[in-house]
Amino acid sequence: MAKTLEEKQYLVRFNCDTKSHLEVRDHDVCATKCPDKDCTIFCPADVYKWEGDRMFVGFEGCHECGSCRIGCPFDNIKWEYPKGGHGIVFRLA
């Protein structure tokens, strides 16, 4: 039987750095120019959360797919690969 997406995501492991490789460049852009908060929708790992009047980034669970790099209509997310030896570790079993 084929695994569900949630079951496949459970196989993903992370070796987190203490410093985020993701950064919202200007929180005011999110608050004033982006009513739909697109990043909270297109990120498959739910890294971006709008809470109150600010965008929070849970970089520890990032799948490093780069969707935020191209999905933000205001180019307001700075995305870099994590420092060597850190980031996502895929397990295929």
Side-chain angles (χ1 to χ4, degrees):
M1 182 173 184
K3 291 185 187 281
T4 66
L5 179 59
E6 290 78 16
E7 290 171 328
K8 289 177 183 178
Q9 286 182 326
Y10 182 74
L11 296 175
V12 174
R13 297 291 178 250
F14 303 94
N15 182 15
C16 296
D17 194 357
T18 56
K19 183 178 182 293
S20 178
H21 64 286
L22 305 171
E23 178 185 343
V24 175
R25 297 177 197 266
D26 184 349
H27 287 274
D28 288 336
V29 169
C30 299
T32 61
K33 295 183 179 177
C34 191
D36 297 328
K37 312 297 184 260
D38 294 342
C39 60
T40 64
I41 299 166
F42 62 65
C43 176
D46 291 327
V47 166
Y48 300 93
K49 301 284 185 200
W50 182 256
E51 295 181 9
D53 61 350
R54 191 167 176 86
M55 186 64 67
F56 288 89
V57 182
F59 73 94
E60 301 88 349
C62 177
H63 289 189
E64 298 172 31
C65 68
S67 63
C68 58
R69 198 170 30 164
I70 58 173
C72 178
F74 301 98
D75 193 29
N76 196 33
I77 298 173
K78 180 181 176 187
W79 185 96
E80 298 174 340
Y81 283 106
K83 183 172 65 175
H86 293 88
I88 194 165
V89 177
F90 292 102
R91 204 175 75 190
L92 302 175

